[in-house]
Amino acid sequence: MAGKGDKVRSKPRANPLLSRWGGAYELPPFGKITPEDFRPAFAVALKEHKAEIARIADQTAKPTFANTVLALEKAGRTLSRVASVFYNLAGADTNDALQEIEREMAPKLAAHESAIMLNGKLFKRIEELHERRDALKLDDEQRRILELHYKWLVRSGAKLNGKQKKRVAEINGRLATLATQFSQNVLKDEQSWRMVLDEKDLDGLSNELRDAAARAAVDAGLPGKYVITLSRSSVEPFLQFSARRDLREQAFNAWIRRGEMGEKTDNRAITAEIIALRTEFAKLLGYQTYADYSLESTMAKTPDSVRDLLTAVWEPAVKRAGDERDALQERARAEGSNIEIAPWDWRYYSEKERKARFDVDESATRPYFALDNVIAAAFDTAGKLFGLKFKELKDAPRYHDDVRVWEVTNRRGEHVGMFLGDYFARPSKRSGAWMSAFRSQSRVAGDVRPIIVNVMNFAKGEEGQPSLLSLDDARTLFHEFGHGLHGLLSDVTYPSISGTAVTRDFVELPSQLYEHWLMVPETLEKYATHHATGKPMPKALLKRIKSARNFNQGFSTVEYLASAFVDMDLHAVDAESNEMLDVAAFEESTLQRLGMPNEIVARHRIPHFLHIMGGYAAGYYSYLWSEVMDADAFAAFEETGNAFDRKTANKLHKFIYSGGNRRDPLEAYVAFRGRPPEITGLLKKRGLAG
């Protein structure tokens, strides 16, 4: 008992990031986590992982699969838990405190990973196991894991000499710092720019877009005004519908200049340094270019094979885009506009052309794609294909009030995992749409079930009103949910090959394939219902939507391919040092060589090309590579006459959605389809077949 005058010491607060995730569903305790928890949590987790690696590398016992490879797979669980929460919040609900920690931790985590990758003792154990792999009596999954660990260490620099290893570690640390700065600069540009409008500036805008702009103005402290931001859900509809050409030009130029708007957020010098460092790294490992290095471990294998695919689609796409431009030019002149179609005109006049040719416009289709209905459609499709059920949990922990949480079970009622949906745009969230995991599936330390999140940037509806999606928005939701299923359905033993931990040009197959089910008749008839009346979409409108499926496909294909070509060229530079690379001139040179139409701008310009500054370096082509497979894979269902054919779905589940990286990706595809994919399905899908 404390004596009189003694101070009663309160029990120190336990760091929620270091405690076991409790509760019925083992979700992170979001409500208890503060930014101040991350630094000490990272410190503890890094120390723990370093000790685990040291025990593995320094042991005197002869290397075995269990004491080396399995031990590696079990190591780092605390670090994985802390990092997964941190980086999910840094992307979806960041703030100044988290961004400061992100900048601080980037080089520290890179140094930690480099120390593992370049650990000579550890590599010697893996190398010895790899050399006697045929005598180890490993099962297929164990052999695959050993092979992947060996290749990962070799490709990380494990065979280099001491001086080279030191330089690799320096490069890794600097790249981590630069990539973090690049991403934060883009977000700052997106957060800082806004176009303030009055009532007179709203000509052509739908009621939904006006309401969204009015809410954005209130959020900006400008009640009575209207604000357009650089959130895709704000700026793209504005470009599509605003009758004010001067304002469209202003918004468009801001949109394409993200990452180069101001001196402090200019990413061009950062990009030049990143490319220089990547080139130097590739040369240290004996490759001519970073593209050669990056592609070696993918399905594509070489830059030439990527360029062959891109070129095969580029030529028909440019021809189609030319026809589309001519039609838009004619449309503008018919309306009395004596202009030459410019990039900020394309979306506006293509919407008019779509309306004229197919009697379809976005304002007519949005009422039939309420967010809740599209979510239900995605869930129902997963039920029909894979037997999954989704139960929403209203009181589950979440990191933002907008986030929704579901428990996922299978046909037998068994727990599969948890799914979080974060659907609405906000300033604290980076742009775009993505899938991530708070925890991935594995079985090396018990039956660990996945916790998967989909993040999007849709416009929120008025208070009490549903959020209404465009058809493209609905496709995006299905796309990201396809990624989500890839994580949820994972059924492997080892965490390093779980879920979406596959090659870049295979990872988009489950997501792009899943988009197909949005447009099957069973889905649309049941879920494309009017948000106010509940009536199904009229069959005549549905028919017109399908007829317009490939409308503007030349434009969308060209803007995507342009970015893919720029990515490949940027990472195919073989100079020893590129610090002085003029990013703008380089981009322009590539586009001129391609014959880029003046009326179209690349989907992602280099200063805000987050894909290639992250995990898609020399890999943006992969969406098209995967599309070859997704078109071919959906044809397997079409050939049965049933989009939900159970036998085909079972094979899809076994070899694609649940297999992780247990097999070589081409082997996995052939196991599902019975043969390699054929490009004819892609050209047909995009309406570009001759």
Side-chain angles (χ1 to χ4, degrees), residues 614-634:
Y616 279 73
Y620 193 60
Y621 77 92
S622 60
Y623 290 91
L624 192 69
W625 191 278
S626 292
E627 194 173 342
V628 172
M629 291 186 286
D630 86 63
D632 188 70
F634 190 70

Side-chain angles (χ1 to χ4, degrees), residues 126-185:
I126 294 291
E127 186 177 39
E128 182 180 332
L129 288 171
H130 188 258
E131 288 173 351
R132 21 183 214 99
R133 59 192 180 278
D134 292 336
L136 294 178
K137 298 181 180 179
L138 303 176
D139 63 31
D140 290 344
E141 192 173 355
Q142 290 172 331
R143 189 181 179 96
R144 175 74 170 164
I145 280 289
L146 173 57
E147 187 73 29
L148 290 172
H149 272 285
Y150 175 75
K151 288 181 178 179
W152 177 61
L153 291 174
V154 170
R155 285 174 51 79
S156 299
K159 287 189 172 183
L160 299 178
N161 63 38
K163 182 179 179 181
Q164 291 170 324
K165 285 183 177 181
K166 181 181 178 182
R167 181 55 184 155
V168 165
E170 291 170 350
I171 289 171
N172 290 338
R174 182 60 178 160
L175 283 172
T177 296
L178 291 170
T180 299
Q181 188 177 351
F182 186 100
S183 175
Q184 291 189 0
N185 284 349

Side-chain angles (χ1 to χ4, degrees), residues 48-117:
E48 178 185 295
H49 196 208
K50 287 176 184 176
E52 291 170 334
I53 296 299
R55 284 195 294 270
I56 297 168
D58 296 343
Q59 62 186 309
T60 57
K62 182 179 180 179
T64 66
F65 183 87
N67 70 19
T68 302
V69 179
L70 179 59
L72 277 174
E73 291 287 327
K74 289 182 175 181
R77 280 179 285 171
T78 302
L79 181 58
S80 177
R81 183 168 68 244
V82 174
S84 69
V85 175
F86 177 77
Y87 283 103
N88 275 301
L89 294 183
D93 195 29
T94 194
N95 53 45
D96 290 344
L98 291 180
Q99 290 190 336
E100 181 181 343
I101 296 168
E102 188 178 16
R103 293 191 294 271
E104 178 184 321
M105 291 307 305
K108 291 182 179 180
L109 291 170
H112 175 70
E113 186 173 359
S114 292
I116 297 171
M117 296 185 299

